[in-house]
């Protein structure tokens, strides 16, 4: 009987996979194309923000001393000497007894030191009656209040969301240096695979893995080049992979890495000096390979069962792609959850169980078990204390790494360490959240 | 003095905005283009999944009764009558005393009722020695274990992630009906606005709102048509908006909706019978307008201060766009958080405060305050009990709806109800999470 090779731990293989990745070179893109990319260079401001003192309200720019005694019953009347819409290049001066009509955002004119909101006036255009006192600086936004020259506005390494794009625009920057998205070739292997929608002969099934992995690449922010399914010819596969080497940022294969007699990926890459096939102490996803092709392209060879492919991508490929994008945080957010159903786990192997969240004490789907709370004081035993979310197996009622249809309801992956052999109802598990 | 118009509540205006939206018509797209779209019709399977009994292991298909007494010390020798790679169309029969070499996923041949993993054999190709007993059904995946004909595989209304795409592929479906993405025109207004990167005259600032809103539209899954900035000419703006009416799914404007003398959006749409300008009891974001243009296109007119625009989009526009995409859940996920710093809030108005998360008792950035937990029993007073995340104001040290640079650090929006007038350190607030 063949001896069982030593298993590599889940953590060790994750680290080895991440080692293959480095942030991709920076490219300069128009701000319109920057959303969802990772900034490669700090964006700073060379001007103060706001650029000048400006009005926080629609109203009148005045000298505060002129309206010090104003009240609804004893309004002060000022002569209106200018109209200042936002964007006006007009530069009037407000002297004693005068005011300038001003719109939100317009520069506060020389001489003025406070703004009277229109609501506190009669809205006059020749003269204006002011019915409330104002102090120096009131309703004035000071130059530099938001940022001063040299301030960091968005830091390198930031995943650019809408507010970041707006902040970059606000400092007058129209192009940014970002890490480009990784281009990832996805190859599913197996003579039994047929493109979805095509007729099936005996023993054939629709290819789902190339679709799964291409979508997972896109979901991780990469560009996917979906190839295959390809058949079980090691020479043809090796030629295909060598042809991709150096033209893409990574290659992900599925299938053909087990101990079977027809393991095409293993056969194709058997003599690559920098690719290693190693069993990993995880269920599902034990047969794994990774390394570099001669041209330097990282290759991740995942097992072919759909659930194994999915879990392997999550554990080993996704963090590497996020690192290529320039992200510092490459891990999924995790949550601690209470297990409702419980299950057996394999001895001496970590287990990754697709799970879905259920409502407290019910079969619902809502995650947030915390009722909305407003202004309540924290208290150790308050009724608002948070509770752990609850999970059940996504594939409950069946098990196995072939359950691709049931996988579709998974909202998270419970990661059970190798030393745990049984998960009981009520146990706490760490769950990687895989849905938004 | 002008009288203050009655304010509409935040909730009422949210409901009115959502009323303008309905799921967009379904279109059929190739599965390769379906990621991130919302399924418009259930996908069911018309075949069992798996399609036939198949092998869960690389090994040998046998008759269980033949290997009932096998053990390492008394192996049973069987004649190998066939080789069954996955995808083989060969249909051998396994009779008494024989076995078929079989790969994972290949159909179990007639006569066989169990699989012996290769690890339990000598891996022979002419004869094979089996060193472990197997029972009927062992290592066999049963037809229909994953789904039976007629089963729902992915439900209408599902946001299609990688696992859903894979599930659809696995049932042999190559095209799906999805709701198309909303096309949204974004128009920022203001004579003071200049495209980022262009030189600024006195009183001019770079336009950031059209960039903010276009990015927010894309982030919400829409397609953004960024127009403008446009100047403060009501006739030109009305013509522009009427030209867009009926050609896009929604229009979002920023600026020009306040009580000022140059409020271009208000002036342009003043005579639209189905557009209403209403002050909303929220800070920031009080001046709002919404309704439909004559051709039926929903229009959302947001205030022009960047933070007001951002918050207004989150509260009023994003849920509407998500509904257009066909999503049932249109709200951001919320969390209850402990306030670290505390702040004043306006009387009788809800407040939406941009916040960022901080680590427990420190200034860090990590959200998850719960240490990884594995297999621990839940217990009311366990050390693993979850704690609320902590937040501080994103714009701490300054305040105001013009702080666009500081807005970039916001990770959430704390929503404080109208009846609360002060948020003290230690208070609990509900936070909409706006970053992944």
């Amino acid at each position: 009987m063949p001896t069982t090779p030593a298993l590599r731990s889940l953590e060790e293989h994750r680290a080895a996979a991440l080692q293959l990745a480095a942030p991709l070179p920076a490219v300069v893109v128009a701000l319109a194309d920057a959303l969802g990319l990772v900034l490669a260079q700090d964006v700073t401001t060379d001007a103060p923000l706001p650029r000048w003192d400006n009005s926080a309200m629609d109203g009148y720019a005045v000298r505060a001393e002129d309206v010090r005694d104003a009240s609804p019953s004893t309004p002060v009347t000022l002569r209106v000497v200018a109209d200042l819409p936002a964007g006006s290049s007009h530069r009037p001066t407000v002297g004693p007894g005068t005011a300038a009509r001003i719109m939100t955002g317009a520069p506060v004119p020389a001489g003025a030191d406070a703004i009277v909101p229109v609501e506190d006036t009669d809205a006059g255009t020749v003269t204006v009656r002011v019915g409330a006192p104002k102090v120096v600086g009131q309703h004035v936004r000071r130059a530099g209040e938001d940022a001063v020259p040299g301030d960091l506005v968005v830091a390198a390494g930031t995943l650019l969301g809408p507010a970041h794009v707006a902040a970059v625009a606000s400092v007058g920057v129209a192009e940014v240096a970002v890490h480009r998205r990784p281009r990832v070739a996805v190859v599913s292997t197996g003579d039994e695979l047929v493109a979805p929608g095509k007729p099936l002969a005996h023993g054939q099934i629709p290819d789902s893995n190339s679709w799964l992995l291409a979508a997972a690449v896109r979901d991780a922010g990469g560009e996917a080049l979906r190839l295959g399914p390809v058949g079980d010819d090691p020479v043809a596969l090796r030629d295909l992979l060598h042809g991709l080497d150096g033209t893409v940022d990574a290659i992900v294969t599925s299938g053909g890495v087990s101990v079977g007699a027809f393991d095409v990926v293993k056969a194709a890459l058997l003599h690559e000096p920098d690719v290693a096939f190693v069993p990993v102490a995880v269920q599902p996803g034990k047969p794994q390979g990774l390394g570099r092709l001669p041209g330097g392209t990282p290759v991740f060879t995942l097992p072919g069962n759909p659930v194994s492919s999915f879990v392997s991508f999550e554990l080993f490929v996704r963090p590497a792609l996020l690192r290529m994008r320039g992200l510092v945080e490459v891990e999924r957010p995790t949550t601690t959850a209470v297990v409702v159903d419980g299950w057996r786990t394999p001895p001496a192997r970590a287990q990754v169980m697709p799970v879905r969240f259920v409502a407290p004490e019910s079969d619902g789907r809502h995650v947030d078990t915390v009722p909305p709370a407003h202004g309540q004081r924290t208290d150790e035993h308050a009724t608002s204390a948070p509770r752990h979310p609850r999970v059940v197996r996504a594939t409950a009622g069946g098990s196995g790494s072939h359950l691709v249809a049931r996988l579709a309801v998974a909202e998270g992956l419970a990661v059970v360490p190798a030393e745990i052999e049984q998960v009981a109802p009520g146990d706490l598990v760490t769950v990687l959240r895989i849905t938004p």
Side-chain angles (χ1 to χ4, degrees), chain A:
Chain A
M1 313 286 147
T3 58
T4 307
L7 301 189
R8 181 188 259 188
S9 77
L10 172 58
E11 294 71 23
E12 196 184 341
H13 197 67
R14 267 166 88 84
L18 201 52
Q19 273 301 113
L20 293 172
L24 293 174
V27 292
V28 174
V29 299
L31 191 54
D33 300 322
L35 183 73
L37 296 171
V38 177
L39 199 63
Q41 285 175 10
D42 288 347
V43 172
T44 57
T45 180
D46 55 12
L49 287 181
R51 280 169 164 70
W52 5 262
D53 291 358
N54 70 90
S55 179
M57 305 289 282
D58 294 327
Y60 296 81
V62 301
R63 299 155 60 94
E65 64 183 76
D66 284 354
V67 300
R68 195 174 42 202
D69 301 322
S71 75
S73 56
T74 59
V76 170
T77 299
L78 303 171
R79 187 163 54 88
V80 178
V81 295
D83 235 2
L84 295 173
S88 170
S89 59
H90 189 36
R91 299 190 185 218
T93 296
V94 172
T98 70
R101 201 155 73 128
I102 192 167
M103 296 302 116
T104 306
V108 175
D113 55 16
I115 304 296
V116 182
V118 68
E119 294 89 335
D120 291 334
T121 73
D122 66 352
T125 54
V126 177
T127 61
V128 62
R129 299 207 313 169
V130 174
K134 300 296 157 193
V135 298
V136 170
Q138 202 164 356
H139 303 306
V140 174
R141 299 170 180 163
R142 292 285 177 205
E145 214 171 62
D146 194 12
V148 298
D151 269 4
L152 178 63
V153 174
V154 186
T158 299
L159 174 62
L160 295 172
H164 305 112
V165 170
V168 171
S170 75
V171 301
V173 169
E175 292 183 325
V176 286
V178 293
H179 298 282
R180 65 177 174 77
R181 295 183 183 277
R183 291 190 72 226
V184 183
V186 169
V187 183
S188 62
T189 67
D191 279 338
E192 76 279 25
L193 302 180
V194 173
K198 294 280 189 304
L200 303 173
H202 176 73
Q204 294 184 326
I205 59 172
D207 172 33
S208 63
N209 276 357
S210 75
W211 300 85
L212 173 71
L213 295 172
V217 165
R218 290 189 191 110
D219 192 56
E223 291 170 7
L225 182 66
R226 198 177 58 74
L227 301 165
V230 302
D232 286 330
D233 175 347
V235 175
L237 178 61
R238 190 177 56 217
D239 288 350
L240 174 67
L241 297 179
H242 281 175
L244 291 167
D245 185 19
T247 72
V248 293
D249 299 305
I251 299 170
V252 182
T253 68
S254 76
V257 289
S258 193
V259 295
F262 302 90
D263 283 310
V264 63
V265 173
K266 233 175 179 172
L269 298 179
L270 201 61
H271 301 295
E272 292 296 341
D274 295 330
V275 176
F277 291 91
V278 279
V280 176
V282 60
Q283 180 199 58
K286 181 176 159 193
Q288 297 286 341
L290 52 75
R292 286 186 194 278
L293 295 184
T297 303
V299 59
F300 304 84
T301 70
L302 312 183
N305 283 318
V307 181
S308 306
S309 263
F310 180 78
V311 166
S312 301
F313 184 93
E314 278 291 330
L315 295 178
F316 307 125
V317 184
R318 193 174 202 275
L321 298 187
L322 297 192
R323 177 172 281 186
M324 288 181 190
R325 289 176 61 200
L327 286 164
V328 176
E329 177 57 67
V330 299
E331 305 295 341
R332 290 277 198 185
T334 62
T335 194
T336 300
V338 179
V339 170
V340 174
D341 49 352
W343 59 80
R344 292 279 302 281
T345 78
R349 284 163 74 186
Q351 188 193 39
V352 181
M353 177 64 79
V355 293
R356 62 187 177 86
F357 293 96
V358 293
E361 315 300 323
S362 88
D363 61 347
R365 304 179 59 179
H366 201 266
V367 178
D368 195 337
T369 63
V370 184
H374 310 286
Q376 302 164 18
R377 290 304 158 100
T378 48
D379 176 53
E380 212 179 327
H381 301 284
T383 53
S384 69
R387 273 177 283 160
H388 292 296
R390 293 151 44 92
V391 293
V392 297
R393 281 172 296 168
T395 56
S399 69
S401 54
H402 61 298
L403 299 176
V404 59
R406 293 180 194 221
L407 180 64
V409 302
E411 296 170 308
L413 297 175
V415 181
V416 183
E419 59 272 22
I420 304 292
E421 307 227 334
Q422 171 79 37
V423 175
D427 279 358
L428 294 180
V429 290
T430 298
V431 176
L432 309 185
R433 288 180 175 273
I434 59 171
T435 50

